[in-house]
Amino acid sequence: MAATRKKNRTARRILAVGAGLATAGALVAALPAGASQDAQDRHGSNGKGWGRMVDVQLLSFNDLHGNLEPPTGSSGRLTRLKEDGTTEVVNNVGGAEYLATHLRQARQGHRYSVTAAAGDMIGASPLLSGLFHDEPTIEALNKLKLDVSSVGNHEFDEGARELSRIQNGGCHPTEGCFEEGKRFKGAKFPYLAANVTNEKSGKPLLDPYFIWERDGVRIGFIGVTLEGTANIVSAEGIKGLKFGDEVETINKYAKVLERKGVKSIVALLHEGGLPASGAYNYDCDTPGAGAGISGPIVDIAKNVTPQVDALVTGHTHQAYACSIPDPSGKPRTVTSAASFGRLYTDTTLTYDRRTKDIVRTAVASANHVVTRDVAPADDISTLIKRWSALAAPIANRPVGHIAESIENPGDVYEKPLGNLIADAQLAGLAPADKGGAQLALMNPGGVRAPLTKGADSVVTYGQAYTVQPFTNMMTVVDLTGAQLVTALQQQVSGANLASPKILQVSKNFSYTLDMTKAGADRIVVDSVRLNGEPLDPSKSYRVAMNEFLTGGGDGFPALAAGANKLVGASDLDIFIAYLTANSSAAEPLRAPATGRITVIK
């Protein structure tokens, strides 16, 4: 077995980056014997101790984002739908120590169990993982016995070369090894990237699929990230790569797997949907207007070949376990387990040994809360303590004080923490020698966690880093009033039509968002104000934003048209400087008021 594992690790390496990209062969995983025989044998016997119908347990999660320690504030909560139709908040959920325990408990009694993920395991991570280029998270996932994962957009945060190191191991090219005498071993599980190809050769960057096998039961996994990944990551790190259509890619490799005799197929897809309710246990198969699920995953699921038996999805950080019909009209399970390790999905795939396919009518899925009322996994706790000791000198440095938690709720357009960050960026870049900014815009996806008040008012460097882990450089550019209005309209149209991305704005900027209308018409143009005055379409304004937005990221090409760019300090440095200058133990900072964006529903 050891020799086989070593061979597999070698086979899934990224062979090159840029012009020399090539793909390795797909993998077959043979799990160790010795697990207890479970209830699937009740389906009958073939004379070898196996029944014809085998229940395979598929455990899945997505969008962990390096959250090893229990997430705090709104990032550590879920909403539960009660039987009477009302909702309640479930606090204190998530954390890798507890996720490990829940997964290990869930596997008990299941002879056939496979664990898969749908991308963004790393990237945009808290300091404990991000400071060490996510090596701690990969170590933890190895211990969790993750079998396979698709890549997500955040796996490309540091570029394709760094993703190669994450998969195959080795010390960081500039920072070296973080622990004396220890060399990073890389991911023991394969990352799949079927739709990420070399622009010239068309070869996939990573293995496109993986075949899990036990006792003759074979299930193929195809892994893809969203086609729009290039629009939401730094262009420098993905030069020479193309991100292809999700449906076309999945359908292509489903045929490849079929030719190899693999008829049971699961797609791991880092793209998702938006259920009508934010409750993790909402039944998204509920009929009626305003119910169900919307977003990109609906059209994708309706067009992915019926050869695929289930879709494990992510990216939207939502929780759902839905049935969306395949092209033949047959129901097919589509799942997502929110984010940050707060949930995991348990799906039962009933495998027919004779047909080698999943009996689709028997597929059942449910999301389960990662509560903290179980014993934390000792090996993960030890890992966290080890890395925490290395991070402590940096992480624990005080940088400011807050009087209350400043939240980053996912279910509102204007967020208190987004307002604070935009205000910090305006303050830092308003001086003439810093760019002369007149307003600031912040992309909502760049705000990764709330600032949660602890026993005292202190904000540490580690907390600030967790809020803004990308270390984007700040810029100031010239944009006309007309270009600013166009950028606001792009929040709710074009690439953002199905899933609006509402920019967070500094306190001197305001406008009305009318959600009763459609597309660009949702922006009430004559409501846009700077310092209380209407924008002049022909006048030029100095606008502060991070380099991601200046490059047109998140579907904002209008922002890429800015002129006279001045590059300043990093967003994290600007944020920390603002916290330090505007708070003290005697006068801690309060959450900024909302109301800059008036929303009509």
Side-chain angles (χ1 to χ4, degrees):
M1 176 63 90
T4 300
R5 188 178 297 113
K6 181 177 180 181
K7 179 179 179 182
N8 285 348
R9 283 286 306 281
T10 302
R12 66 175 176 260
R13 289 177 181 164
I14 301 177
L15 299 183
V17 176
L21 289 171
T23 183
L27 307 177
V28 177
L31 296 189
S36 62
Q37 181 66 45
D38 67 358
Q40 64 264 18
D41 282 349
R42 70 182 180 275
H43 294 298
S45 174
N46 63 359
K48 298 181 179 179
W50 304 326
R52 171 182 163 182
M53 310 302 287
V54 176
D55 285 347
V56 178
Q57 179 189 58
L58 171 61
L59 301 176
S60 59
F61 56 99
N62 51 276
D63 295 275
L64 181 64
H65 290 290
N67 278 264
L68 299 180
E69 296 176 298
T72 62
S74 55
S75 294
R77 299 177 192 145
L78 290 167
T79 300
R80 176 189 290 130
L81 185 64
K82 298 195 292 186
E83 290 186 4
D84 63 3
T86 62
T87 60
E88 63 180 354
V89 174
V90 183
N91 290 300
N92 302 317
V93 298
E97 300 160 287
Y98 304 100
L99 176 61
T101 297
H102 280 278
L103 291 176
R104 289 165 184 173
Q105 290 179 347
R107 291 177 187 134
Q108 291 177 9
H110 291 271
R111 183 182 183 90
Y112 303 91
S113 182
V114 57
T115 304
D120 279 7
M121 295 295 97
I122 59 173
S125 304
L127 183 134
L128 178 62
S129 186
L131 186 63
F132 305 107
H133 300 276
D134 283 312
E135 290 182 19
T137 295
I138 296 300
E139 283 191 15
L141 292 171
N142 289 342
K143 292 180 181 295
L144 262 62
K145 303 298 183 185
L146 180 62
D147 290 296
V148 60
S149 179
S150 68
V151 296
N153 54 288
H154 282 285
E155 265 77 19
F156 292 92
D157 280 353
E158 296 189 50
R161 289 189 183 276
E162 175 63 3
L163 178 55
S164 172
R165 188 183 74 88
I166 289 295
Q167 177 72 90
N168 299 306
C171 298
H172 191 270
T174 58
E175 298 186 39
C177 293
F178 296 109
E179 296 178 287
E180 187 175 352
K182 290 187 179 180
R183 179 181 175 84
F184 176 55
K185 296 180 180 179
K188 294 181 180 178
F189 57 92
Y191 264 120
L192 305 181
N195 67 330
V196 186
T197 58
N198 178 275
E199 286 182 331
K200 294 181 179 179
S201 70
K203 299 287 188 179
L205 172 68
L206 287 167
D207 287 297
Y209 60 87
F210 169 85
I211 302 170
W212 177 89
E213 180 174 7
R214 174 150 196 195
D215 297 340
V217 176
R218 305 176 81 206
I219 297 178
F221 290 86
I222 302 167
V224 299
T225 186
L226 71 154
E227 183 180 7
T229 292
N231 298 322
I232 53 176
V233 300
S234 172
E236 184 66 27
I238 58 169
K239 279 185 177 179
L241 295 179
K242 178 182 178 181
F243 294 82
D245 181 87
E246 304 96 334
V247 172
E248 290 178 7
T249 304
I250 293 171
N251 290 352
K252 171 184 174 180
Y253 285 103
K255 292 179 181 177
V256 172
L257 286 169
E258 284 268 351
R259 288 197 296 268
K260 291 180 174 290
V262 179
K263 297 183 179 180
S264 299
I265 303 172
V266 175
L268 305 176
L269 170 62
H270 192 71
E271 178 60 290
L274 301 167
S277 168
Y280 76 86
N281 60 335
Y282 167 68
D283 181 3
C284 55
D285 293 335
T286 301
I293 185 170
S294 60
I297 195 59
V298 178
D299 284 340
I300 292 173
K302 287 181 177 179
N303 287 283
V304 164
T305 174
Q307 292 171 293
V308 173
D309 298 295
L311 284 78
V312 176
T313 73
H315 188 56
T316 57
H317 291 200
Q318 301 297 305
Y320 47 85
C322 303
S323 293
I324 300 176
D326 66 19
S328 70
K330 187 177 179 182
R332 176 168 54 193
T333 188
V334 180
T335 68
S336 175
S339 60
F340 306 154
R342 295 175 293 167
L343 292 173
Y344 71 91
T345 309
D346 191 334
T347 300
T348 300
L349 301 172
T350 300
Y351 181 93
D352 186 333
R353 286 185 180 277
R354 189 173 71 182
T355 65
K356 300 181 181 180
D357 206 350
I358 300 299
V359 180
R360 197 88 77 71
T361 55
V363 172
S365 297
N367 279 319
H368 299 273
V369 179
V370 176
T371 61
R372 300 178 197 165
D373 58 359
V374 297
D378 288 340
D379 56 341
I380 306 297
S381 298
T382 299
L383 180 150
I384 290 172
K385 290 175 183 176
R386 192 180 95 236
W387 287 103
S388 294
L390 290 174
I394 297 173
N396 296 333
R397 176 166 63 88
V399 297
H401 296 79
I402 52 175
E404 58 193 329
S405 293
I406 304 179
E407 296 290 352
N408 183 46
D411 56 352
V412 297
Y413 290 133
E414 183 186 352
K415 309 168 193 296
L417 188 52
N419 286 350
L420 175 61
I421 290 171
D423 289 347
Q425 293 176 351
L426 176 59
L429 297 169
D433 62 340
K434 302 295 183 183
Q438 296 170 270
L439 69 144
L441 304 174
M442 176 64 194
N443 57 306
V447 187
R448 303 306 302 183
L451 266 183
T452 305
K453 184 179 181 295
D456 56 23
S457 65
V458 172
V459 176
T460 66
Y461 180 91
Q463 286 177 290
Y465 182 99
T466 297
V467 170
Q468 290 205 277
F470 296 112
T471 319
N472 271 310
M473 301 309 292
M474 289 301 301
T475 64
V476 184
V477 299
D478 288 343
L479 289 170
T480 66
Q483 288 173 319
L484 275 168
V485 170
T486 299
L488 295 180
Q489 292 171 331
Q490 288 170 351
Q491 299 176 114
V492 289
S493 63
N496 298 321
L497 178 63
S499 181
K501 288 189 175 69
I502 305 303
L503 297 165
Q504 306 298 283
V505 301
S506 51
K507 59 187 175 183
N508 61 339
F509 193 73
S510 63
Y511 68 95
T512 296
L513 179 65
D514 187 349
M515 296 304 290
T516 66
K517 297 183 178 178
D521 290 340
R522 288 174 166 176
I523 302 301
V524 181
V525 174
D526 60 7
S527 72
V528 183
R529 297 284 189 276
L530 177 63
N531 297 319
E533 299 294 327
L535 286 183
D536 183 338
S538 61
K539 183 179 178 180
S540 181
Y541 299 90
R542 294 291 282 167
V543 183
M545 63 187 113
N546 60 44
E547 279 197 309
F548 175 68
L549 283 177
T550 309
D554 265 357
F556 291 100
L559 299 181
N564 300 320
K565 181 169 77 170
L566 179 84
V567 179
S570 75
D571 54 5
L572 178 59
D573 287 344
I574 292 281
F575 184 47
I576 287 173
Y578 186 85
L579 291 172
T580 301
N582 292 276
S583 68
S584 65
E587 295 186 31
L589 195 66
R590 291 198 170 275
T594 55
R596 303 171 189 188
I597 304 172
T598 300
V599 181
I600 300 174
K601 297 182 179 180

